[in-house]
Amino acid sequence: MRKWTRRTLMIGGFVGAGLLGVGFWFARERDRLGARTLFNVRPGEAGLNGWVKITRDDKVVVAVPRAEMGQGIHTALATLVAEEMDARWDQVRAEDPPEHVVYRNVDILLDGLPFSPEETGTVVDVAHWAASKLGGVLGVLATGGSTATRDAWLPMRTAGAVARDLLLRAAARQAGVPAGELVVVDGEVRRRDGGRVASFGELVDSIGDLQPMRSAPPLKQPSEFKLIGKELPRLDVSAKVAGSATFGVDVRLPGLLFAAVRNAPTFGGEVKSFTLRQAALPSGIEKVVAVPGGIAAIGASWWQADAFLDKGVEIEWRAGPEPRLDSASLWERYGALLDKGDPALTRTLGSEPKPGGRTLEAVYRAPYLAHATMEPMNCTALVADGKKVELWMPNQSPTLMRLVAARTSDLPRADVTVHTTLLGGGFGRRAEVDLVRQAVTCAMAMPGRPVQVLWSREEDMRHDFYRPMALARWRATIDTSGGAPRLAGVAKKQVAQSPTAQFPTRVIGLPSQAKPEGNAVENPPYAFPYYKLESVVADGSVPVGFWRSVGHSHTAFFDESFVDEMAHALGKDPYAFRRELLAGKPRFLEVLETAAKEAGWGSALPAGSGRGIALRASFGSIVAQVAEVAVADDTIRVRRVVCAVDCGPVVNPAIVRAQMESGIVYGLSAALYGEITLSQGAVEQSNFTDYDAVRLADAPEMVVHLVDGGSNRIGGVGEPGTPPIAPAVANAVFAATGKRLRELPLRLI
């Protein structure tokens, strides 16, 4: 029996909003392809729909409305259109389209629903339906939650198929033959007997008056794919290698000024007052202004502006609501909530075991984590004549950036333009809008001059929106009434702040909801005889946000570590125990077995070494990892990681492998080093000197195997590689040393 009090309320909200918007949705559904003029059509180009245009020099330009932050999304999404057009890969390139509802991301809203991927039924179906309708009405452009390819899988392929149909009909009219006698092969139109009719570029001037058929052509079957499933070269690599790629920090505009910032030391603090230490500003410093959350110095050089904040400005701060908050007191607060806190969500599956038997209990904890993107946080803004705002920035949601820029400048949203650059890492940090507020405020102080706000690494580390710290208690009941001991049931209670509750309030002012972040409460895939979850939402002044894999990143550590502990308590091999609990779930089993087999599970290792295994389903994909570690002098060295992933249909195997490797390294950095601690209401860490990451020399050998479990539903790949690595390493350390590590980062002393 399930108790979904708050969850049901939230689902009800989605359903209500979905019903209100459904009328608008049907009107927009017919326009899903977008107008042919929508996609920045220039002289010498012909738009075929909102997603694709062709050029006179025979190029196919695909609209990719998702941020390229190194995950290869420009390549993956362009592949979907090119596949259905039968374009040659060497004629394809990607381009950012203008912000428009056609390019909305619906799947990112679906992922906010509090269901595990395994949950089905009427409630789940209705909630998904309503959320998808609401997503269509809201029209939010966003990149995150490993949703980009999932969301684009059908719309972009449909756009490619419609484009191919237009090309065939244009060529048929030009050649004076029925369209049925023509085909597209390798990027040009030919007769079915192979005779060439026209290149794409030769049709630019003759295709304009043709209209798409009312019904879209059928999409290809997987057996017909020529590009999807191939390791096509990435579209973004050559510009990055050659140095011509434009990231946010590369933006250079005529008359550009630079702004350095000092943010309030304590969470929620603000500037009370500031004074200049000298009568006049030095040459090169244009202005010092208060911005939301801090002070900015604007000048011709960022370095000069940054130095001036240290030497030339005295700032009096108004402290935040918890100026003496520290990590020790916060853990005590969490401990009290773990014992007596009221859960915001309770979920029960199966029948509660009878009293008696043996109890196995363990408490785990995970700290706050920073995003630590390689490209420093930045945003460039220009306010022209007080009537128009332009932004240039690496961001994960131009819709939100535009909204906040409009509110900050008190101008209509229609008067704000957002240019999304390449991102030097996102991980959820660049969905936040704090830099927009500061950059627009600076630009308003310097009308007609573009101002680039750039944070130092120290400012970023101490003013992030952190992956929540979390505390969990797992308890297992083991039946010892006869024969071999057996698992009778498990219960988990978890405490954490919720980014889902904070983010809407912080960004767009919606009321806060005391509900757990959806990723943190997904059900484990295992067939426990009894399972009870209680999730407590902690409040507090520490700003928390979406981090790579969000709640999966710490709940996977809690869950998979305790599964390992249960296996050992029952005298079973951890891999074999998981197989037992996954009986009847062939996709999970195949992923688990592939990782174990390829890692040589059960084979001998040198003394001081061990293997650990972990499994996690997230964002529509299933990932298992086996970590091999060596422990010497209380130092953990991760030698090898074998990863198996089933993400449904694979668009580009090389990108999937790269994403798994990236997720492993990112998660391993957190597992071994990541920890944000608090003292006197502020963050203690400041840079990579005290917030380290896995370096190249320390990176393990990584082997990734793609598993085809037969699913036709595409899964995400950007985040699912991160959650299993911490528990896999912790379990490997136990195998090597017999010491169970229940806290992150993993430390032996």
Short mmCIF file of all heavy atoms in Angstrom, two decimals, residues 526 560-582 592 596 601-602 611-615 727 731-732 734-735 740:
data_model
loop_
_atom_site.label_atom_id
_atom_site.label_comp_id
_atom_site.label_asym_id
_atom_site.label_seq_id
_atom_site.Cartn_x
_atom_site.Cartn_y
_atom_site.Cartn_z
N TYR A 526 15.41 -3.56 -6.81
CA TYR A 526 15.46 -4.91 -6.22
C TYR A 526 14.10 -5.33 -5.65
O TYR A 526 13.35 -4.52 -5.11
CB TYR A 526 16.52 -4.95 -5.13
CG TYR A 526 17.88 -4.53 -5.60
CD1 TYR A 526 18.47 -3.36 -5.15
CD2 TYR A 526 18.57 -5.29 -6.55
CE1 TYR A 526 19.72 -2.96 -5.59
CE2 TYR A 526 19.82 -4.90 -7.00
CZ TYR A 526 20.38 -3.74 -6.52
OH TYR A 526 21.62 -3.35 -6.98
N GLU A 560 23.37 1.30 -2.57
CA GLU A 560 24.24 0.23 -3.05
C GLU A 560 25.28 -0.18 -2.01
O GLU A 560 25.75 -1.32 -2.02
CB GLU A 560 24.91 0.65 -4.35
CG GLU A 560 23.96 0.67 -5.53
CD GLU A 560 23.43 -0.74 -5.84
OE1 GLU A 560 24.22 -1.60 -6.25
OE2 GLU A 560 22.22 -0.97 -5.64
N SER A 561 25.63 0.73 -1.11
CA SER A 561 26.51 0.32 -0.01
C SER A 561 25.77 -0.64 0.92
O SER A 561 26.34 -1.63 1.39
CB SER A 561 26.99 1.55 0.77
OG SER A 561 27.82 2.36 -0.02
N PHE A 562 24.49 -0.32 1.19
CA PHE A 562 23.77 -1.17 2.13
C PHE A 562 23.41 -2.53 1.50
O PHE A 562 23.38 -3.54 2.21
CB PHE A 562 22.50 -0.47 2.62
CG PHE A 562 21.89 -1.16 3.82
CD1 PHE A 562 22.54 -1.15 5.05
CD2 PHE A 562 20.69 -1.84 3.72
CE1 PHE A 562 22.00 -1.79 6.15
CE2 PHE A 562 20.13 -2.48 4.82
CZ PHE A 562 20.79 -2.46 6.04
N VAL A 563 23.16 -2.55 0.21
CA VAL A 563 22.95 -3.84 -0.45
C VAL A 563 24.18 -4.72 -0.25
O VAL A 563 24.09 -5.93 0.01
CB VAL A 563 22.63 -3.65 -1.94
CG1 VAL A 563 22.66 -4.98 -2.69
CG2 VAL A 563 21.27 -2.99 -2.11
N ASP A 564 25.35 -4.11 -0.37
CA ASP A 564 26.59 -4.85 -0.14
C ASP A 564 26.67 -5.34 1.31
O ASP A 564 27.06 -6.49 1.57
CB ASP A 564 27.78 -3.93 -0.43
CG ASP A 564 28.90 -4.65 -1.16
OD1 ASP A 564 28.63 -5.15 -2.27
OD2 ASP A 564 30.02 -4.70 -0.61
N GLU A 565 26.28 -4.47 2.23
CA GLU A 565 26.32 -4.87 3.64
C GLU A 565 25.36 -6.03 3.91
O GLU A 565 25.68 -6.96 4.67
CB GLU A 565 25.97 -3.67 4.53
CG GLU A 565 27.00 -2.55 4.48
CD GLU A 565 27.05 -1.76 5.76
OE1 GLU A 565 27.07 -2.37 6.85
OE2 GLU A 565 27.08 -0.51 5.68
N MET A 566 24.20 -5.98 3.29
CA MET A 566 23.24 -7.07 3.48
C MET A 566 23.78 -8.38 2.93
O MET A 566 23.62 -9.45 3.53
CB MET A 566 21.90 -6.73 2.82
CG MET A 566 21.12 -5.64 3.55
SD MET A 566 19.42 -5.47 2.93
CE MET A 566 19.71 -4.72 1.34
N ALA A 567 24.43 -8.30 1.78
CA ALA A 567 24.99 -9.52 1.18
C ALA A 567 25.99 -10.17 2.14
O ALA A 567 25.94 -11.39 2.37
CB ALA A 567 25.66 -9.18 -0.15
N HIS A 568 26.86 -9.37 2.68
CA HIS A 568 27.85 -9.93 3.59
C HIS A 568 27.21 -10.45 4.87
O HIS A 568 27.63 -11.47 5.41
CB HIS A 568 28.93 -8.88 3.89
CG HIS A 568 29.85 -8.66 2.74
ND1 HIS A 568 30.92 -9.49 2.45
CD2 HIS A 568 29.84 -7.72 1.77
CE1 HIS A 568 31.53 -9.05 1.36
NE2 HIS A 568 30.90 -7.98 0.93
N ALA A 569 26.17 -9.76 5.35
CA ALA A 569 25.49 -10.23 6.56
C ALA A 569 24.81 -11.57 6.32
O ALA A 569 24.68 -12.39 7.24
CB ALA A 569 24.48 -9.18 7.00
N LEU A 570 24.38 -11.79 5.09
CA LEU A 570 23.71 -13.04 4.74
C LEU A 570 24.69 -14.10 4.26
O LEU A 570 24.29 -15.22 3.90
CB LEU A 570 22.66 -12.79 3.66
CG LEU A 570 21.46 -11.92 4.08
CD1 LEU A 570 20.69 -11.43 2.87
CD2 LEU A 570 20.56 -12.70 5.03
N GLY A 571 25.96 -13.74 4.21
CA GLY A 571 26.98 -14.69 3.77
C GLY A 571 26.95 -14.94 2.28
O GLY A 571 27.31 -16.04 1.83
N LYS A 572 26.53 -13.94 1.52
CA LYS A 572 26.41 -14.12 0.07
C LYS A 572 27.37 -13.20 -0.67
O LYS A 572 27.75 -12.14 -0.18
CB LYS A 572 24.98 -13.83 -0.37
CG LYS A 572 23.96 -14.80 0.22
CD LYS A 572 22.57 -14.55 -0.32
CE LYS A 572 21.59 -15.59 0.24
NZ LYS A 572 20.24 -15.44 -0.29
N ASP A 573 27.73 -13.62 -1.86
CA ASP A 573 28.53 -12.79 -2.73
C ASP A 573 27.70 -11.57 -3.16
O ASP A 573 26.52 -11.73 -3.55
CB ASP A 573 28.95 -13.59 -3.97
CG ASP A 573 29.68 -12.75 -4.97
OD1 ASP A 573 30.90 -12.59 -4.83
OD2 ASP A 573 29.01 -12.22 -5.90
N PRO A 574 28.25 -10.35 -3.12
CA PRO A 574 27.45 -9.16 -3.45
C PRO A 574 26.85 -9.20 -4.86
O PRO A 574 25.72 -8.74 -5.07
CB PRO A 574 28.46 -8.02 -3.31
CG PRO A 574 29.48 -8.53 -2.35
CD PRO A 574 29.59 -10.00 -2.63
N TYR A 575 27.59 -9.73 -5.79
CA TYR A 575 27.07 -9.83 -7.16
C TYR A 575 25.95 -10.86 -7.23
O TYR A 575 24.86 -10.60 -7.78
CB TYR A 575 28.23 -10.20 -8.11
CG TYR A 575 27.81 -10.73 -9.45
CD1 TYR A 575 26.98 -10.01 -10.29
CD2 TYR A 575 28.30 -11.97 -9.90
CE1 TYR A 575 26.61 -10.49 -11.54
CE2 TYR A 575 27.94 -12.46 -11.14
CZ TYR A 575 27.09 -11.73 -11.95
OH TYR A 575 26.73 -12.22 -13.18
N ALA A 576 26.17 -12.01 -6.63
CA ALA A 576 25.14 -13.06 -6.65
C ALA A 576 23.88 -12.60 -5.91
O ALA A 576 22.75 -12.90 -6.33
CB ALA A 576 25.70 -14.35 -6.02
N PHE A 577 24.06 -11.86 -4.83
CA PHE A 577 22.91 -11.36 -4.06
C PHE A 577 22.08 -10.41 -4.90
O PHE A 577 20.84 -10.47 -4.91
CB PHE A 577 23.43 -10.66 -2.80
CG PHE A 577 22.35 -10.13 -1.90
CD1 PHE A 577 21.36 -10.97 -1.40
CD2 PHE A 577 22.33 -8.79 -1.53
CE1 PHE A 577 20.36 -10.48 -0.56
CE2 PHE A 577 21.34 -8.29 -0.70
CZ PHE A 577 20.35 -9.14 -0.21
N ARG A 578 22.74 -9.55 -5.64
CA ARG A 578 22.00 -8.63 -6.51
C ARG A 578 21.25 -9.39 -7.60
O ARG A 578 20.12 -9.04 -7.96
CB ARG A 578 22.97 -7.61 -7.13
CG ARG A 578 23.44 -6.53 -6.16
CD ARG A 578 24.48 -5.62 -6.80
NE ARG A 578 24.79 -4.45 -5.98
CZ ARG A 578 25.63 -4.45 -4.96
NH1 ARG A 578 26.26 -5.57 -4.62
NH2 ARG A 578 25.84 -3.35 -4.25
N ARG A 579 21.88 -10.42 -8.13
CA ARG A 579 21.20 -11.21 -9.17
C ARG A 579 19.93 -11.83 -8.62
O ARG A 579 18.90 -11.87 -9.29
CB ARG A 579 22.14 -12.29 -9.70
CG ARG A 579 23.31 -11.75 -10.51
CD ARG A 579 24.09 -12.88 -11.18
NE ARG A 579 23.35 -13.46 -12.27
CZ ARG A 579 23.02 -14.74 -12.36
NH1 ARG A 579 23.36 -15.57 -11.40
NH2 ARG A 579 22.36 -15.20 -13.40
N GLU A 580 19.99 -12.31 -7.40
CA GLU A 580 18.79 -12.88 -6.78
C GLU A 580 17.66 -11.85 -6.70
O GLU A 580 16.51 -12.13 -7.01
CB GLU A 580 19.10 -13.36 -5.35
CG GLU A 580 19.91 -14.63 -5.26
CD GLU A 580 20.16 -15.00 -3.81
OE1 GLU A 580 19.35 -14.60 -2.95
OE2 GLU A 580 21.18 -15.66 -3.53
N LEU A 581 18.03 -10.66 -6.27
CA LEU A 581 17.02 -9.61 -6.07
C LEU A 581 16.50 -9.03 -7.38
O LEU A 581 15.49 -8.32 -7.40
CB LEU A 581 17.60 -8.48 -5.22
CG LEU A 581 17.93 -8.83 -3.76
CD1 LEU A 581 18.68 -7.68 -3.10
CD2 LEU A 581 16.66 -9.14 -2.98
N LEU A 582 17.20 -9.30 -8.48
CA LEU A 582 16.79 -8.77 -9.78
C LEU A 582 16.10 -9.82 -10.64
O LEU A 582 15.87 -9.60 -11.84
CB LEU A 582 18.01 -8.23 -10.54
CG LEU A 582 18.65 -6.97 -9.95
CD1 LEU A 582 19.98 -6.68 -10.65
CD2 LEU A 582 17.71 -5.77 -10.06
N LEU A 592 24.04 -5.87 -15.24
CA LEU A 592 24.85 -6.30 -14.09
C LEU A 592 25.82 -7.41 -14.49
O LEU A 592 27.01 -7.38 -14.14
CB LEU A 592 23.92 -6.79 -12.97
CG LEU A 592 24.61 -7.18 -11.67
CD1 LEU A 592 25.01 -5.93 -10.89
CD2 LEU A 592 23.68 -8.06 -10.81
N ALA A 596 29.99 -7.45 -14.50
CA ALA A 596 30.71 -8.42 -13.67
C ALA A 596 31.61 -9.33 -14.52
O ALA A 596 32.78 -9.56 -14.19
CB ALA A 596 29.70 -9.27 -12.89
N TRP A 601 34.84 -10.67 -12.45
CA TRP A 601 34.34 -10.81 -11.08
C TRP A 601 34.65 -12.21 -10.54
O TRP A 601 34.37 -13.21 -11.18
CB TRP A 601 32.84 -10.56 -11.02
CG TRP A 601 32.31 -10.53 -9.62
CD1 TRP A 601 31.76 -11.57 -8.92
CD2 TRP A 601 32.32 -9.42 -8.73
NE1 TRP A 601 31.42 -11.17 -7.66
CE2 TRP A 601 31.75 -9.85 -7.50
CE3 TRP A 601 32.74 -8.10 -8.85
CZ2 TRP A 601 31.59 -9.00 -6.40
CZ3 TRP A 601 32.58 -7.26 -7.76
CH2 TRP A 601 32.02 -7.71 -6.56
N GLY A 602 35.23 -12.26 -9.38
CA GLY A 602 35.55 -13.55 -8.77
C GLY A 602 36.97 -14.00 -8.99
O GLY A 602 37.44 -14.91 -8.30
N ARG A 611 37.51 -5.68 -5.45
CA ARG A 611 36.52 -5.23 -6.44
C ARG A 611 35.21 -4.94 -5.73
O ARG A 611 34.82 -5.64 -4.79
CB ARG A 611 36.26 -6.30 -7.50
CG ARG A 611 37.36 -6.54 -8.48
CD ARG A 611 36.87 -7.39 -9.65
NE ARG A 611 38.00 -7.81 -10.48
CZ ARG A 611 38.68 -8.94 -10.32
NH1 ARG A 611 38.31 -9.78 -9.36
NH2 ARG A 611 39.69 -9.23 -11.09
N GLY A 612 34.55 -3.92 -6.21
CA GLY A 612 33.22 -3.59 -5.71
C GLY A 612 32.27 -3.38 -6.86
O GLY A 612 32.67 -2.90 -7.93
N ILE A 613 31.01 -3.71 -6.65
CA ILE A 613 30.02 -3.61 -7.73
C ILE A 613 28.87 -2.75 -7.26
O ILE A 613 28.53 -2.71 -6.07
CB ILE A 613 29.53 -5.01 -8.15
CG1 ILE A 613 28.74 -4.93 -9.46
CG2 ILE A 613 28.72 -5.69 -7.04
CD1 ILE A 613 28.48 -6.29 -10.09
N ALA A 614 28.28 -2.01 -8.19
CA ALA A 614 27.11 -1.19 -7.88
C ALA A 614 26.26 -1.05 -9.14
O ALA A 614 26.78 -1.09 -10.25
CB ALA A 614 27.52 0.18 -7.35
N LEU A 615 24.98 -0.84 -8.92
CA LEU A 615 24.01 -0.75 -10.03
C LEU A 615 23.08 0.41 -9.74
O LEU A 615 22.66 0.62 -8.61
CB LEU A 615 23.21 -2.06 -10.10
CG LEU A 615 22.04 -2.10 -11.08
CD1 LEU A 615 22.55 -2.37 -12.50
CD2 LEU A 615 21.05 -3.20 -10.68
N PRO A 727 29.57 4.10 -4.61
CA PRO A 727 29.37 2.83 -3.91
C PRO A 727 30.24 1.70 -4.45
O PRO A 727 30.67 0.83 -3.67
CB PRO A 727 27.88 2.53 -4.10
CG PRO A 727 27.47 3.33 -5.29
CD PRO A 727 28.32 4.57 -5.25
N ASN A 731 32.54 -0.25 -1.88
CA ASN A 731 32.41 -1.70 -1.75
C ASN A 731 33.73 -2.40 -2.08
O ASN A 731 34.07 -3.44 -1.49
CB ASN A 731 31.29 -2.21 -2.66
CG ASN A 731 29.92 -1.71 -2.21
OD1 ASN A 731 29.73 -1.32 -1.06
ND2 ASN A 731 28.96 -1.69 -3.14
N ALA A 732 34.49 -1.83 -3.01
CA ALA A 732 35.80 -2.40 -3.33
C ALA A 732 36.77 -2.22 -2.18
O ALA A 732 37.60 -3.11 -1.89
CB ALA A 732 36.35 -1.75 -4.60
N PHE A 734 35.97 -2.14 0.93
CA PHE A 734 35.59 -3.16 1.93
C PHE A 734 36.16 -4.52 1.54
O PHE A 734 36.69 -5.26 2.39
CB PHE A 734 34.07 -3.24 2.05
CG PHE A 734 33.61 -4.31 3.00
CD1 PHE A 734 33.64 -4.11 4.38
CD2 PHE A 734 33.15 -5.55 2.52
CE1 PHE A 734 33.23 -5.11 5.25
CE2 PHE A 734 32.74 -6.54 3.39
CZ PHE A 734 32.78 -6.32 4.77
N ALA A 735 36.07 -4.85 0.26
CA ALA A 735 36.61 -6.13 -0.19
C ALA A 735 38.12 -6.21 0.02
O ALA A 735 38.67 -7.28 0.31
CB ALA A 735 36.27 -6.35 -1.67
N ARG A 740 34.34 -0.87 6.34
CA ARG A 740 33.18 -0.33 5.66
C ARG A 740 33.17 1.19 5.80
O ARG A 740 33.16 1.73 6.91
CB ARG A 740 31.90 -0.90 6.28
CG ARG A 740 30.62 -0.42 5.66
CD ARG A 740 30.46 -0.85 4.21
NE ARG A 740 30.32 -2.32 4.08
CZ ARG A 740 30.22 -2.95 2.91
NH1 ARG A 740 30.28 -2.24 1.78
NH2 ARG A 740 30.11 -4.26 2.87
#
